[in-house]
Amino acid sequence: MGRLTRRTFLQSSAAVAGAAAFSAVPAIGQAKPRVVVIGGGAGGTTAAKYIARDSKGAIDVTLVEPLKRYQTCFHSNLYLGGYRSYDSITHGYEKLTSAYGVKMNHQWASAIDRDKKQVVLADGSRLSYDRLVVSPGIALKYDSVPGWGKEHEVAMPHAWLPGEQTQILKKRLDAVPDGGVIVMIAPPNPFRCPPGPYERVSMMAHALKAAGKSKSKIIVIDPKENFSKQGLFQEGWEKYYKGMVEWLGPKVHDGLKSVDPKTNTVVTGFETYKAALVNVIPAQTAGTIAIDAKLTNAGGFCPIDAASMKSTVDPNIYVLGDASIAGDMPKSGFSANSQAKVAALMIRGELIKAETFPARYANTCWSLIETDDAVKVGGRYEAKDGKIAATETFVSKTGESADLRKATQAENMGWYAGISADMFG
Amino acid sequence: MGAGIAWKRRSGRASKPVTVMYCMGSGLGFVLGSVSAAQADNKALGQFLASECTTCHQLSGESTGGIPPITGWPKSQFIAVLRSYRAKERDNEVMQTIAGRLSDDEIAALAAFFEDLGKK
């Protein structure tokens, strides 16, 4: 009771000191404060919705996203595996406007003019902001795999950005003959969705097996010594896809030397593979716009204040999701959604003096291995010693009961419906 | 502390029945009290904390797959269930982790927020 009473007192004090406090608030009294959000993924969409909804019209919110129909990266592996339709991972932004008053601008944001506090759009027009939310996701480093580049992303799809690439990979996967070899080039850290490549391996193996193509093989060329939920995935591959999956760490493959998109060949220090399908998941950085605006560090991602998600480079900018350096939090849709709520609160605090509370973050990543067999990893996080630090984590265990794994998959499906409603509903 | 109160979970809410024992501590005292200023203050806290729940649980009260609806529960039940997760008596790791950092006041704020939501 004591704490609440004190907070109530502080709130009253703030009201009395209102005139003085408001002098520090930009644009109040003249026009609504303006927030521009770049990127309509899990971070940006959530931030736009929460700022608009919870400010009840007191903040002007514009979401800049070129796509009118957006496919989530999360559960795109389930589409590959045949568990979800493409439509079911496709969403529109209509309700953000009709229910919460978010202004949609379906253009590519080409630059940030930090001095003028403006976003430059593809058509040359500009949007002014008091606060900017940068949530552009990742950019692929097309020069990180020898022999491969943007011009080869149809021949050797990455499917690591949402949309058409996922459909290309699905089509190619379904065309792999029985006995055909799929090579996945796994990415180095840090990258979007740490368990994602390995859930994808599971879903590709499931699709092959379901199509009666159990003589096919998936070879993973990984630059990392280990990967997320490794024991769980490897247990599942052994149990369900025996002989179909071969994961090779750097000590075994001795480095990726080159790929040849013309012949679907992959050369490592260990062996040359002639594949029916090569899935190249290259190294990654923050989205290009964040790099161009100099919001990134030497590692290619954006440093942020752990207590708010505010850029440490520019006090008028917040960076969310995969583009940010979020300490112990993985680059996931769940993380971005969680970070967006902290940023939305802090932005409302700055612009309209909404009451704020200490940042708290959470994440869970579910991965499907085979029908009714899913695993999860997650945790909760707080700002600690200048970074976002895990305060408690959990991960599924090997040898869990079939009932528990089935319940975990039901949770996975429920989460997808939940986060979709949280973003777009 | 006062006499323990046993709460029986209503059917259809979660994966398995559980009986939760807890004392008449300050958290429950607060919930049952009628401190309107504190409650108004609590609303902003409840709204922020609830945003953590809505990554999985739908505000509309709709439910899909293995994520149960959490709107419209009586406060006492909501508090009992979250305390049970916090004490790791109930066994979902996601919920244990989320509830693990919630204070009694925060659980009460959440309970009030989601109970109110069910009335709308």
Side-chain angles (χ1 to χ4, degrees):
Chain A
M1 296 296 274
R3 211 182 94 208
L4 288 159
T5 307
R6 184 168 57 84
R7 192 184 296 139
T8 308
F9 168 72
L10 290 173
Q11 226 182 13
S12 317
S13 310
V16 172
F22 270 59
S23 63
V25 177
I28 280 191
Q30 299 122 42
K32 279 187 200 177
R34 293 157 303 185
V35 172
V36 174
V37 180
I38 296 175
T45 302
T46 305
K49 172 180 161 177
Y50 273 68
I51 294 167
R53 187 193 72 183
D54 296 341
S55 67
K56 298 183 171 62
I59 298 176
D60 184 274
V61 182
T62 302
L63 175 56
V64 182
E65 163 57 50
L67 300 172
K68 287 190 174 167
R69 308 294 291 163
Y70 174 86
Q71 284 80 32
T72 56
C73 278
F74 39 96
H75 281 204
S76 64
N77 283 331
L78 274 62
Y79 163 71
L80 289 178
Y83 293 97
R84 293 203 78 121
S85 68
Y86 196 66
D87 273 357
S88 79
I89 56 168
T90 301
H91 304 271
Y93 299 92
E94 297 80 9
K95 203 167 169 201
L96 267 76
T97 303
S98 66
Y100 312 110
V102 174
K103 294 174 185 165
M104 293 302 304
N105 195 316
H106 288 297
Q107 283 196 70
W108 186 255
S110 47
I112 302 165
D113 186 337
R114 284 169 44 197
D115 292 336
K116 290 185 179 157
K117 297 209 286 182
Q118 291 178 331
V119 174
V120 184
L121 301 173
D123 68 359
S125 62
R126 288 168 171 253
L127 292 171
S128 295
Y129 61 80
D130 294 301
R131 292 294 181 276
L132 174 66
V133 176
V134 177
S135 192
I138 52 156
L140 302 176
K141 289 178 83 168
Y142 284 101
D143 59 357
S144 64
V145 174
W148 186 79
K150 186 162 174 55
E151 66 274 27
H152 305 121
E153 69 182 6
V154 172
M156 290 185 171
H158 53 77
W160 218 243
L161 299 173
E164 194 191 2
Q165 272 283 309
T166 314
Q167 289 179 302
I168 293 171
L169 182 61
K170 168 83 171 153
K171 202 181 260 180
R172 293 284 302 278
L173 168 65
D174 290 346
V176 169
D178 193 15
V181 171
I182 298 174
V183 177
M184 172 190 279
I185 311 295
N189 290 321
F191 65 99
R192 160 178 284 174
C193 191
Y198 314 99
E199 183 190 56
R200 177 175 288 179
V201 166
S202 310
M203 291 296 93
M204 291 198 298
H206 167 82
L208 291 168
K209 191 175 140 189
K213 298 188 277 197
S214 298
K215 290 194 201 100
S216 301
K217 196 161 189 172
I218 303 166
I219 293 157
V220 185
I221 308 295
D222 208 321
K224 305 180 293 298
E225 296 285 357
N226 45 55
F227 59 89
S228 175
K229 298 189 249 193
Q230 183 164 355
L232 297 165
F233 281 115
Q234 290 182 324
E235 178 191 54
W237 296 340
E238 184 65 20
K239 181 174 177 184
Y240 301 115
Y241 313 118
K242 203 168 172 52
M244 293 180 71
V245 179
E246 198 173 295
W247 177 82
L248 305 175
K251 280 179 193 147
V252 177
H253 63 66
D254 195 26
L256 174 66
K257 303 304 177 196
S258 66
V259 300
D260 183 351
K262 286 200 184 76
T263 57
N264 260 344
T265 306
V266 175
V267 182
T268 70
F270 175 66
E271 202 171 328
T272 296
Y273 301 94
K274 180 82 179 74
L277 166 62
V278 181
N279 175 206
V280 177
I281 308 173
Q284 295 153 36
T285 63
T288 312
I289 196 167
I291 297 173
D292 292 347
K294 298 187 166 49
L295 297 172
T296 50
N297 68 8
F301 290 92
C302 304
I304 48 91
D305 166 29
S308 65
M309 299 306 297
K310 182 181 281 212
S311 165
T312 57
V313 176
D314 188 325
N316 299 310
I317 296 179
Y318 288 74
V319 184
L320 303 178
D322 295 353
S324 70
I325 300 170
D328 293 342
M329 293 185 87
K331 298 187 185 302
S332 73
F334 196 127
S335 291
N337 171 271
S338 172
Q339 294 157 8
K341 288 159 183 175
V342 170
L345 180 75
M346 301 307 174
I347 288 169
R348 287 195 298 117
E350 286 189 325
L351 296 181
I352 57 170
K353 291 284 164 200
E355 189 179 3
T356 60
F357 305 96
R360 59 176 72 204
Y361 306 96
N363 177 64
T364 301
C365 294
W366 288 268
S367 301
L368 185 61
I369 298 175
E370 171 59 299
T371 306
D372 288 336
D373 190 341
V375 292
K376 61 186 172 185
V377 60
R380 65 168 196 262
Y381 309 83
E382 284 163 19
K384 202 174 166 189
D385 303 327
K387 74 163 206 169
I388 299 180
T391 52
E392 186 177 342
T393 60
F394 60 85
V395 61
S396 297
K397 290 160 193 68
T398 53
E400 284 173 342
S401 73
D403 282 352
L404 178 54
R405 292 295 180 85
K406 190 175 178 179
T408 303
Q409 175 54 11
E411 210 174 85
N412 184 14
M413 298 306 283
W415 164 74
Y416 187 91
I419 193 172
S420 300
D422 201 28
M423 290 166 61
F424 299 102
Chain B
M1 301 312 261
I5 301 173
W7 300 93
K8 185 81 177 169
R9 189 193 57 82
R10 288 191 307 186
S11 62
R13 285 297 191 201
S15 55
K16 63 182 183 183
V18 66
T19 302
V20 184
M21 302 289 293
Y22 66 89
C23 297
M24 290 282 283
S26 60
L28 186 60
F30 163 70
V31 170
L32 298 179
S34 56
V35 188
S36 60
Q39 277 172 349
D41 171 65
N42 230 18
K43 208 173 166 189
L45 176 63
Q47 186 178 27
F48 174 58
L49 295 174
S51 73
E52 189 161 39
C53 311
T54 54
T55 303
C56 299
H57 300 276
Q58 299 180 44
L59 267 186
S60 64
E62 283 176 44
S63 165
T64 305
I67 306 285
I70 56 170
T71 60
W73 291 25
K75 278 195 284 257
S76 56
Q77 183 193 25
F78 195 102
I79 290 167
V81 169
L82 274 187
R83 285 183 176 194
S84 174
Y85 279 122
R86 187 176 63 184
K88 300 199 191 304
E89 290 160 0
R90 287 177 68 83
D91 62 4
N92 185 294
E93 289 163 308
V94 180
M95 286 307 304
Q96 287 177 353
T97 304
I98 295 294
R101 71 171 152 203
L102 293 171
S103 68
D104 285 350
D105 285 345
E106 289 169 341
I107 289 177
L110 276 171
F113 179 88
F114 281 110
E115 186 187 59
D116 275 0
L117 208 60
K119 291 174 185 161
K120 284 170 189 166

